[in-house]
Amino acid sequence: MDYRSGPGQGRIGQSSQPAIKRVHPGGRPSQEGRASSLRKLARREVSARGNWAFKRASSEEKFRNFSLQGEYDTFDAKAVHLERLAFLKRRSRIVEIVAAKDLLFTLAHSGACAAICLESRRRLCYMNVGSEEVIRSLFFNKNNDSLITVSVYAHDNFSSLKCRSTPLEYIRRGQPSEGFALFESESLRWPGFVEFDDVNGKVLTYSAENGMYKVFDLRNYTLLYSVPDKNIQEIKISPGIMLLIYNRADGHVPLKILSIEDGAVLASFVQLLQRGKKVDFIEQFNEKLLVKQENENLHILDVRTRVEAQVSRTEFMTPSAFIFLYENQLFLTFRNRAVAVWNFRGEMVTAFEDHVLWYPDCNTNNIYITSDQDLIISYCKQEELSHAPHVGTINISNILTGKLLAKISSVPELAQAKSKSVLSTVREALEDVTALFYDEDRNEIYTGNRNGFVHVWTN
């Protein structure tokens, strides 16, 4: 996962559960710019198409009879005095949810992050270890069972990022202060960032002060190599490689592909561009390079063979975000609440039958792609509830076919959950959902809303 963060603006991820997550100091995890990529990389290969019927049946059964089974209130007025967390003085919407084994982490827009034990169903602690700490995003490092928090602080006007790793065992004991700082040698002020790449097991940092990109090992945080910022406009990460995009020259843009392991140059070339037209995006997907300019066709170039395909600008319009499905050799696009699946011949292979996203700008905190890359779970519009404009549905769809497998809806209104700890009705829990996460091991969906409540859906 690539997680990028920096001061002054947000970039994404997942998170929902992104494979690559980037954070800037002044913002939330990014979508690499709305017209650029959100990349969620696979961890396992999807089953062969011949097994689709079985997989669909098992997926439908997995999500059958999902109902509201739990509720957590992440707001605690007592913590204002006990833990001196000034940002808990008022309720704030949930912006990110991360499940890590038996723990659930919920991040509010205020910067307060609550750690919840899923076994005892109680809050263990807040991950903020000081009254000045505002947590911007979270990353679960599976390599060493730790939670990485990326924060800004009041004493420097929230202008630079600080990263901290806290082992889950300390969090279970309610000791978040036992974590340790990461990348202390790096000045991560805007436009600097930190990016966590789960698939390659790397961390990319950029320090604008010394103009240097650095790659660290995600397992032990040791520095592997540095890349000087000489006219580099952007870096994109794919499995095994990094694409360096340099400042645009007259009629072309210089590109370079590096090995993610040691920084060795694998290829160096230029991509021709139409003069006078802005670049909507340049994306790297294994050996495929995607280039789109304003009001121009999409170009898909094989960087090894130099064979190029084009997709008409009327068929492929610039999306607000991508999700690359690396093992399937496909990619998802998001545009105006619509989701579509494309192959690298430029053909749309899937259109979804009932999957109209709630947020038009592809708020990826409300989207989850399973690790097998076969299912997409999203917070969606519910047309049949036109009289309740703030209430949506949770839709589970097959990515390869577009078929709707299951839907969590308040139409008809489901019975109140049996648990006495759940005060909300189904309709209230599906109102103004601001974050969503699916725990594949526990088969539970978690949603957060604008009032700081987190709801648990399962069968």
Side-chain angles (χ1 to χ4, degrees):
M1 166 160 105
D2 166 3
Y3 169 72
R4 184 172 293 198
S5 169
Q9 96 181 50
R11 301 261 333 211
I12 150 240
Q14 180 214 193
S15 343
S16 42
Q17 62 310 327
I20 301 179
K21 195 175 188 183
R22 179 179 294 188
V23 184
H24 289 282
R28 296 288 166 196
S30 76
Q31 297 170 23
E32 297 277 23
R34 298 263 169 117
S36 189
S37 89
L38 166 83
R39 292 157 294 173
K40 297 187 179 175
L41 313 179
R43 294 193 297 271
R44 296 194 300 273
E45 185 174 1
V46 73
S47 297
R49 289 178 182 267
N51 293 329
W52 172 80
F54 172 77
K55 285 184 67 67
R56 177 179 179 181
S58 60
S59 295
E60 288 177 342
E61 186 63 30
K62 179 184 294 186
F63 294 101
R64 188 183 304 276
N65 299 324
F66 255 48
S67 62
L68 180 59
Q69 293 294 324
E71 180 179 69
Y72 302 108
D73 187 357
T74 64
F75 176 78
D76 185 357
K78 296 179 181 178
V80 177
H81 306 288
L82 296 178
E83 305 187 43
R84 299 181 180 179
L85 301 181
F87 35 74
L88 282 177
K89 289 183 178 179
R90 58 180 178 272
R91 290 187 174 275
S92 180
R93 71 181 184 271
I94 303 299
V95 296
E96 191 171 359
I97 300 173
V98 173
K101 298 194 172 180
D102 59 332
L103 300 178
L104 184 70
F105 300 95
T106 64
L107 177 62
H109 185 262
S110 63
C113 176
I116 297 167
C117 176
L118 291 171
E119 300 297 336
S120 65
R121 300 286 186 178
R122 66 182 182 88
R123 189 179 65 241
L124 299 174
C125 60
Y126 286 98
M127 294 304 298
N128 310 71
V129 297
S131 60
E132 288 192 334
E133 182 182 13
V134 175
I135 296 176
R136 285 302 185 196
S137 200
L138 313 171
F139 178 82
F140 174 45
N141 189 350
K142 304 176 186 66
N143 295 280
N144 52 28
D145 278 353
S146 66
L147 182 79
I148 298 177
T149 50
V150 183
S151 306
V152 292
Y153 290 82
H155 67 262
D156 70 348
N157 199 29
F158 310 104
S159 62
S160 60
L161 293 174
K162 302 294 181 182
C163 302
R164 188 175 69 252
S165 174
T166 309
L168 297 187
E169 59 183 281
Y170 292 127
I171 300 172
R172 292 187 184 102
R173 300 174 195 162
Q175 300 174 321
S177 60
E178 296 302 310
F180 56 91
L182 301 175
F183 318 122
E184 292 183 279
S185 62
E186 305 308 300
S187 176
L188 301 178
R189 295 180 180 273
W190 176 258
F193 61 78
V194 59
E195 182 162 315
F196 298 96
D197 175 8
D198 202 16
V199 171
N200 293 303
K202 302 292 185 289
V203 182
L204 174 67
T205 65
Y206 173 59
S207 172
E209 286 190 5
N210 57 21
M212 190 70 68
Y213 294 91
K214 293 183 180 180
V215 177
F216 297 82
D217 192 321
L218 188 54
R219 295 170 298 181
N220 51 26
Y221 311 113
T222 57
L223 176 64
L224 299 177
Y225 57 91
S226 302
V227 180
D229 174 19
K230 282 192 174 182
N231 301 317
I232 295 177
Q233 184 184 63
E234 177 65 291
I235 289 183
K236 303 292 179 71
I237 297 177
S238 294
I241 61 174
M242 288 197 306
L243 174 68
L244 275 55
I245 305 172
Y246 290 86
N247 292 332
R248 181 174 177 173
D250 187 28
H252 70 275
V253 57
L255 303 170
K256 190 177 289 186
I257 297 176
L258 308 184
S259 165
I260 193 72
E261 295 301 327
D262 56 13
V265 177
L266 303 178
S268 184
F269 55 98
V270 299
Q271 175 64 33
L272 298 179
L273 299 174
Q274 292 284 344
R275 287 183 171 85
K277 294 198 173 183
K278 81 177 185 72
V279 176
D280 286 344
F281 61 81
I282 298 177
E283 294 295 334
Q284 179 78 25
F285 175 96
N286 292 341
E287 72 278 4
K288 304 295 186 182
L289 185 73
L290 280 64
V291 181
K292 176 78 168 63
Q293 290 185 258
E294 186 178 28
N295 298 322
E296 292 293 329
N297 294 342
L298 169 66
H299 295 255
I300 303 176
L301 174 70
D302 190 307
V303 297
R304 295 182 304 178
T305 65
R306 309 302 296 174
V307 173
E308 182 178 293
Q310 289 194 38
V311 186
S312 169
R313 63 184 182 183
T314 60
E315 296 178 23
F316 186 94
M317 291 175 282
T318 302
S320 60
F322 295 92
I323 295 178
F324 287 140
L325 307 175
Y326 284 83
E327 298 298 337
N328 298 329
Q329 295 294 304
L330 300 169
F331 62 97
L332 291 166
T333 59
F334 300 85
R335 178 182 170 87
N336 297 334
R337 292 193 171 96
V339 188
V341 183
W342 301 75
N343 62 27
F344 285 89
R345 295 185 298 275
E347 302 162 339
M348 188 172 72
V349 297
T350 305
F352 290 86
E353 63 180 14
D354 183 3
H355 212 97
V356 180
L357 300 178
W358 181 268
Y359 294 96
D361 60 352
C362 183
N363 183 328
T364 54
N365 286 336
N366 287 279
I367 297 170
Y368 186 96
I369 306 295
T370 56
S371 58
D372 279 347
Q373 299 182 339
D374 57 345
L375 302 178
I376 178 172
I377 304 172
S378 308
Y379 183 54
C380 293
K381 292 291 255 185
Q382 184 168 248
E383 296 181 0
E384 58 266 40
L385 263 190
S386 57
H387 62 284
H390 299 291
V391 180
T393 60
I394 301 171
N395 292 21
I396 299 101
S397 298
N398 186 290
I399 288 176
L400 298 179
T401 67
K403 297 294 183 181
L404 181 70
L405 302 180
K407 178 190 285 191
I408 301 173
S409 171
S410 62
V411 181
E413 177 70 32
L414 300 177
Q416 176 72 32
K418 295 179 181 179
S419 173
K420 294 181 180 180
S421 63
V422 180
L423 301 178
S424 301
T425 64
V426 171
R427 179 166 169 171
E428 289 170 340
L430 290 173
E431 184 175 355
D432 289 324
V433 169
T434 54
L436 179 152
F437 188 94
Y438 173 53
D439 188 327
E440 300 184 44
D441 294 327
R442 302 176 71 94
N443 194 35
E444 294 182 340
I445 295 175
Y446 311 109
T447 57
N449 66 17
R450 63 174 178 171
N451 293 318
F453 284 93
V454 174
H455 295 100
V456 184
W457 309 85
T458 188
N459 54 12

